[in-house]
Amino acid sequence: MAGEDSSAPKRKRPMGLKARSSKKANAVTSAGAQEVADFADETTATVMLRGDDTNEIDELEGIFTSALEALGEGEDERALTLLRGTVHESDRLLRLHDTNGEGELEPRFYYIYGSALFSLAEASQDIKDRGVYLELALHRLEQAREKMGDGVEARVWMALAKVKLEIAAEAASDVDAAMQALDQAVKAFGANDEAAQVLEAADLVLSLADSQRLPVCASSRLIAWGMAQARRLLQTQPDSDECQCILARALWLQASAMINDDDEISDTLVFAKLLTEAVEVLEKTESSDGLVLRGEIEINLGNAQDEELEMEQWYTKAVASFRRAQEMGELPEQFVQFIDDFENESDSDESDE
């Protein structure tokens, strides 16, 4: 049935999941920051610090925090204004500092400066501008790291990892430098929030591996890193939906790498073993994301079967997973369509009998 109908799922590279992590702003007040419109067009506005007795770096961090909040709320134009303002004011403070010959600026300043440049790189549509922003971001973040000495904060390591990963993706090169920064970030994470931060980092690297912007060997290293972190966390948090989803996603991506450009699987036994483990990992999940991921993996297992009966059994399981996810909220359209196509085809076969 499913193997003959053109509407049935065909063997193909599994659909990639978008990163689900959202930018979370630091708890820094933006009081004292002013948005000053130099022109009538809001997009040309600059953001200036008050310049009174308040701590200018606190204010600068407040502006950057407001930019992240605007990004999180989908206010892209306002976010860009605030990011450009952060960079503009950072440059002004640095020039003023150099002119006056004052003592060193604190490491936090360079972290804010570099992070704002990275955010601008992410938002830029111009490849040349992206490259410039990334190199400048790396320079400022390296300054933050150097000035912190032996006590480099986890957020600086994480910011460096993000920049280095993006530079590697732009150049389709190796990820050695980024992996070193990731490992340092994990070591520096505080015990209270280590799990959440590690999972965010794992989600980041798996999303990049799934983007197919890196060489295969580099993507494989990222997948292995994300998988290792999820397995480690599951030892102490066996019921964590987030950990289960990260591990299952890593297993799924590892299996996906075995599908060539002709949609042929290089080793069907290993492929099935990886995906079967991913389904088993997700057996206890009660989250909508976990159930959707489980359904996708079950479709892939169905696609890998040679026998029609086994294929339909996996598709039936996928429908059940999607149905459970649908009960919790909105289901992505492609999976709603999969349910409709599969059930309509099943009804048609029954009527023919």
Side-chain angles (χ1 to χ4, degrees):
M1 175 196 71
E4 298 175 358
D5 194 306
S6 62
S7 65
K10 293 182 174 60
R11 296 186 184 184
K12 59 183 179 181
R13 191 174 190 85
M15 188 181 309
L17 294 179
K18 294 182 179 179
R20 294 185 176 90
S21 59
S22 59
K23 293 185 173 67
K24 295 183 180 179
N26 299 321
V28 180
T29 177
S30 58
Q34 298 176 339
E35 291 182 54
V36 181
D38 294 329
F39 308 96
D41 183 357
E42 183 184 357
T43 61
T44 63
T46 58
V47 180
M48 299 180 63
L49 305 182
R50 289 175 55 178
D52 53 19
D53 293 334
T54 58
N55 185 305
E56 287 190 310
I57 297 181
D58 283 346
E59 288 187 75
L60 189 68
E61 190 163 20
I63 296 172
F64 180 55
T65 297
S66 296
L68 295 184
E69 290 171 349
L71 282 172
E73 294 167 4
E75 300 177 14
D76 294 346
E77 290 299 326
R78 180 168 178 269
L80 283 173
T81 297
L82 291 167
L83 286 172
R84 293 185 184 113
T86 303
V87 171
H88 173 80
E89 286 302 293
S90 295
D91 185 58
R92 184 186 66 80
L93 284 176
L94 192 58
R95 283 188 281 105
L96 185 63
H97 171 271
D98 291 342
T99 301
N100 294 341
E102 299 173 358
E104 289 189 356
L105 285 163
E106 62 182 280
R108 179 170 57 126
F109 165 79
Y110 295 98
Y111 166 75
I112 297 166
Y113 197 173
S115 296
L117 285 163
F118 176 65
S119 294
L120 278 176
E122 286 191 304
S124 176
Q125 300 298 316
D126 186 283
I127 295 177
K128 184 177 179 180
D129 285 348
R130 280 174 57 81
V132 172
Y133 285 138
L134 286 172
E135 290 299 332
L136 289 172
L138 179 60
H139 176 63
R140 296 307 180 192
L141 290 169
E142 288 287 8
Q143 286 182 294
R145 180 187 62 79
E146 291 167 2
K147 292 179 182 298
M148 286 183 178
D150 295 331
V152 181
E153 296 176 9
R155 65 175 181 171
V156 174
W157 284 121
M158 199 63 230
L160 279 167
K162 289 179 180 179
V163 173
K164 291 178 179 182
L165 282 170
E166 193 57 34
I167 288 174
E170 291 288 313
S173 61
D174 65 66
V175 291
D176 288 347
M179 297 297 290
Q180 292 173 15
L182 281 169
D183 289 337
Q184 290 295 332
V186 170
K187 291 178 182 178
F189 287 148
N192 292 335
D193 56 359
E194 180 198 12
Q197 291 178 310
V198 170
L199 288 172
E200 182 178 350
D203 182 79
L204 171 73
V205 300
L206 293 182
S207 295
L208 182 56
D210 193 27
S211 72
Q212 301 181 43
R213 298 169 60 205
L214 290 166
V216 173
C217 58
S219 292
S220 296
R221 290 186 63 190
L222 295 183
I223 293 168
W225 189 90
M227 187 183 299
Q229 296 302 323
R231 289 193 190 281
R232 180 175 66 84
L233 290 177
L234 278 170
Q235 291 178 359
T236 56
Q237 303 179 49
D239 297 324
S240 168
D241 273 346
E242 292 84 358
C243 290
Q244 291 164 357
C245 286
I246 289 292
L247 177 55
R249 189 175 167 202
L251 289 162
W252 179 42
L253 289 174
Q254 194 172 66
S256 299
M258 302 177 69
I259 305 175
N260 62 28
D261 293 337
D262 295 322
D263 289 342
E264 296 296 329
I265 301 169
S266 59
D267 189 326
T268 54
L269 289 177
V270 175
F271 180 85
K273 181 180 178 181
L274 289 168
L275 293 188
T276 300
E277 182 184 354
V279 170
E280 291 171 352
V281 167
L282 293 170
E283 281 182 350
K284 295 181 180 179
T285 186
E286 295 298 330
S287 69
S288 176
D289 282 351
L291 288 166
V292 170
L293 176 57
R294 180 174 171 175
E296 286 192 78
I297 295 171
E298 287 164 338
I299 290 176
N300 298 152
L301 277 164
N303 291 344
Q305 305 305 313
D306 292 323
E307 297 295 329
E308 185 175 313
L309 179 60
E310 293 177 352
M311 186 184 298
E312 291 187 21
Q313 287 174 341
W314 280 113
Y315 291 164
T316 300
K317 291 178 180 180
V319 168
S321 296
F322 291 146
R323 286 291 191 199
R324 287 178 60 197
Q326 199 170 33
E327 291 172 0
M328 300 179 184
E330 188 174 350
L331 186 68
E333 180 59 34
Q334 67 265 35
F335 304 128
V336 174
Q337 188 63 51
F338 172 82
I339 293 173
D340 290 343
D341 290 347
F342 182 73
E343 292 183 343
N344 288 339
E345 190 176 346
S346 297
D347 291 342
S348 175
D349 284 353
E350 290 176 6
S351 65
D352 290 343
E353 294 176 2

